[in-house]
C-alpha cells in the first residue's frame, strides 16, 4: 500500500495504445459537454469492488451518460502511467488514484482541469472537506484535484511482543520521545524482535512520508514541509524530530538496510507506522494496538496531527464530456458513496464530521474509530512546483545524516532548506 510514485518520465506502456473513446482521447470539450466518459480506479480488490458498485449505480440512473471503467493500466508506477497518458492525449476523464505529490507535475503538463472553474466547484470541495481542502489548492488559487480519501498514519504495535518484553500492551509508553526510546530499548534488550520499529531506509523520495514527516506534523501541530514558498523544518521542531530518528538508528532500534518483506507482519519489528488500510492486512497476523505518533513532550491524541497518505481524484483535460465527469465526481464523493467507500475499504473520506456522519459504521467497527478521528488532523505534502524533486532532495540529505549518521543534523537541516527553497522558487 505504500504506493510507488513517479520516479521516471514516460513509459512505453499499454496506456499509449488506448483508444480515444468515451471522452478519453485528445479532445478538449467544453465544461458543459455531456455524454459517456471513461474512468480509472486503483487495482486493489476493495477499491475495485467499490468502483464497480459506484459505476453501476450511476449507469442505472443515467443511460445517456454511461461510465466505462477500468483499473489503472499496469506500469512501473501509476503516476508514470498517468503522465504518459497526458502526453499521449488519451487520459480518461477521471482517475481515482491521483497522488497529491504528482499533481503539480500533471498541472504543468496541462493535463488537469481546474475544478474551481465549474460554477459549484469551489463550494462543493470546501463544503465537503472543510479546512483540510486548503492544503490541496494550487498556487493560482484553483483546485486541480478533489481531496478524496486519506490513510492517516499512526503507530501500530505488537501487543504479544510488548507482553513478552514485560511491557503493558494495553498502556504502551510511546507518547514522548523519551518514552518511545525507553520502550524501544526494552524491546531490544528482551530480544523479542530484531528491531523496535523499522521504517524503510531506502532512498525513494516518498519514504520520508513514513518516518520524518508524520512526526514533524505532530511536533508542529500541523505544519507542512514547505509553506509560503519556504522550507519550514530548519528549526527546533525539525531538529527534535531528526535527532529522535538519528538516535533510533544509532542505537540499532531500526535497521539501515532494506528488509525484503513486511517487518511488522513477520515479527521482525515490534512497531510500524501505517494507516487504517493495515487493519485488514494485519488482523489475522498480528495482535496489534495503535497509538498516535509521538511528540517530543507528549501530545493528547485529540490534538495530534499526522501525515495523511491521501489519494485524490483528477479530472483530465483530454476529457470531452467534462460536465458529466464533474457530475460523476460529485456522485462518487457524495455522503452515500463515501459511506460505501468507508464500508468497503476502511479508508477515510476527506470530509468534515466524519465520525458523526458515519457514527453507525464506527460503532460497528471500533478499530477504525481512532483513524476516523485522526483524519480531521492530517498534513498533506506541499502543493508546490518541483514537489517530487523537493522530497528527493530532503530524502537524500536525511538518509546521510539521520539513517547513516554521516555529518551532523544541524548541517543537514540547513543545507536541505537551502536546496528546497531554491526548488520551491522554480530554480
Amino acid at each position: 500500500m505504500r504506493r510507488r510514485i513517479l520516479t521516471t518520465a514516460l513509459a512505453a506502456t499499454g496506456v499509449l495504445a488506448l483508444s480515444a473513446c468515451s471522452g478519453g482521447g485528445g479532445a478538449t470539450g467544453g465544461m458543459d459537454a455531456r455524454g459517456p466518459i471513461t474512468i480509472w480506479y486503483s487495482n486493489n480488490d476493495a477499491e475495485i469492488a467499490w468502483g464497480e458498485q459506484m459505476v453501476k449505480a450511476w449507469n442505472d440512473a443515467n443511460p445517456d451518460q454511461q461510465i466505462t471503467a477500468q483499473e489503472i493500466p499496469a506500469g512501473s508506477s501509476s503516476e508514470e502511467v498517468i503522465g504518459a497518458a497526458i502526453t499521449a492525449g488519451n487520459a480518461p476523464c477521471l482517475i481515482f488514484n491521483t497522488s497529491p505529490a504528482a499533481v503539480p507535475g500533471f498541472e504543468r503538463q496541462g493535463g488537469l482541469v481546474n475544478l474551481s472553474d465549474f460554477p459549484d466547484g469551489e463550494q462543493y470541495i470546501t463544503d465537503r472537506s472543510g479546512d483540510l481542502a486548503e492544503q490541496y489548492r494550487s498556487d493560482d488559487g484553483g483546485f486541480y484535484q478533489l481531496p478524496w480519501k486519506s490513510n492517516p498514519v499512526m503507530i501500530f504495535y505488537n501487543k504479544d511482543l510488548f507482553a513478552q518484553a514485560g511491557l503493558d500492551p494495553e498502556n504502551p509508553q510511546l507518547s514522548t520521545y523519551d518514552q518511545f526510546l525507553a520502550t524501544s530499548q526494552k524491546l531490544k534488550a528482551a530480544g523479542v524482535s530484531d528491531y523496535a520499529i523499522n521504517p524503510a531506509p531506502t532512498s525513494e523520495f516518498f519514504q520520508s512520508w513514513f518516518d520524518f514527516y508524520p512526526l514533524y506534523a505532530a511536533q508542529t501541530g500541523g505544519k507542512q514541509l514547505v509553506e509560503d514558498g519556504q522550507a519550514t523544518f530548519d528549526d527546533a521542531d525539525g531538529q527534535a524530530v531528526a535527532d529522535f530518528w538519528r538516535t533510533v538508528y544509532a542505537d540499532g532500534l531500526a535497521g539501515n538496510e532494506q528488509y525484503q518483506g513486511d517487518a511488522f507482519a513477520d515479527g521482525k519489528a515490534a512497531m510500524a507506522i501505517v494507516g487504517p488500510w493495515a487493519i485488514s492486512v494485519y488482523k489475522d497476523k498480528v495482535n496489534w494496538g495503535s497509538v498516535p505518533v509521538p511528540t517530543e513532550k507528549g501530545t493528547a491524541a485529540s490534538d495530534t496531527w499526522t501525515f495523511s497518505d491521501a489519494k485524490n481524484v483528477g479530472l483530465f483535460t483530454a476529457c470531452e464530456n467534462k460536465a458529466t465527469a464533474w457530475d460523476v465526481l460529485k456522485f462518487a464523493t457524495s455522503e452515500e458513496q463515501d459511506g460505501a467507500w468507508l464500508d468497503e475499504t476502511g479508508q477515510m473520506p476527506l470530509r468534515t464530521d466524519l465520525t458523526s456522519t458515519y457514527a453507525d459504521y464506527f460503532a460497528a467497527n471500533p478499530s477504525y474509530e481512532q483513524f476516523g478521528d485522526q483524519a480531521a488532523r492530517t498534513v498533506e505534502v506541499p502543493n508546490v512546483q518541483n514537489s517530487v524533486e523537493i522530497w528527493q532532495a530532503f530524502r537524500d540529505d536525511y538518509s546521510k545524516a539521520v539513517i547513516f549518521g554521516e555529518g551532523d543534523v544541524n548541517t543537514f537541516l540547513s543545507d536541505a532548506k537551502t536546496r528546497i527553497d531554491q526548488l520551491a522558487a522554480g530554480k
Side-chain angles (χ1 to χ4, degrees), residues 85-272:
I86 292 171
T87 298
N90 57 16
C93 284
L94 299 172
I95 299 180
F96 289 81
N97 196 41
T98 304
S99 168
V103 165
F106 296 160
E107 188 181 342
R108 187 168 60 249
Q109 283 184 269
L112 289 168
V113 172
N114 182 358
L115 302 178
S116 298
D117 288 343
F118 290 104
D120 60 344
E122 181 84 13
Q123 183 172 356
Y124 180 79
I125 291 171
T126 54
D127 283 354
R128 178 176 176 272
S129 297
D131 292 342
L132 288 179
E134 294 305 312
Q135 299 183 82
Y136 302 97
R137 194 184 292 277
S138 292
D139 288 343
D140 66 359
F143 286 106
Y144 293 82
Q145 57 187 315
L146 184 138
W148 179 34
K149 53 98 168 182
S150 71
N151 278 279
V153 300
M154 304 180 75
I155 301 292
F156 266 39
Y157 65 96
N158 187 316
K159 290 185 175 183
D160 293 340
L161 296 184
F162 270 56
Q164 290 174 31
L167 301 165
D168 184 352
E170 303 305 325
N171 185 30
Q173 300 299 299
L174 296 169
S175 63
T176 72
Y177 292 168
D178 286 346
Q179 287 177 344
F180 195 103
L181 292 169
T183 294
S184 297
Q185 292 287 3
K186 291 176 181 177
L187 290 164
K188 179 182 178 181
V192 297
S193 58
D194 293 349
Y195 301 110
I197 192 168
N198 200 48
T202 51
S203 62
E204 298 93 346
F205 73 89
F206 56 85
Q207 295 296 1
S208 291
W209 303 346
F210 304 99
D211 45 36
F212 179 89
Y213 202 39
L215 272 65
Y216 184 67
Q219 179 67 17
T220 59
K223 190 177 289 187
Q224 291 184 298
L225 195 80
V226 176
E227 294 185 351
D228 299 323
Q230 299 286 314
T232 61
F233 52 80
D234 186 18
D235 61 6
D237 289 325
Q239 170 116 31
V241 176
D243 282 342
F244 167 80
W245 281 114
R246 177 153 170 159
T247 301
V248 168
Y249 285 103
D251 290 356
L253 305 175
N256 60 15
E257 295 184 4
Q258 183 177 12
Y259 175 73
Q260 300 297 330
D262 185 324
F264 187 65
D266 296 344
K268 300 294 184 180
M271 293 180 282

Side-chain angles (χ1 to χ4, degrees), residues 267-314:
K268 300 294 184 180
M271 293 180 282
I273 299 180
V274 291
W277 59 265
I279 293 174
S280 61
V281 172
Y282 294 134
K283 65 179 181 180
D284 298 323
K285 300 177 181 178
V286 181
N287 178 22
W288 58 269
S290 61
V291 295
V293 298
T295 57
E296 185 177 20
K297 302 299 182 183
T299 303
S302 59
D303 295 325
T304 301
W305 289 69
T306 192
F307 170 57
S308 61
D309 193 17
K311 277 294 181 79
N312 294 335
V313 190

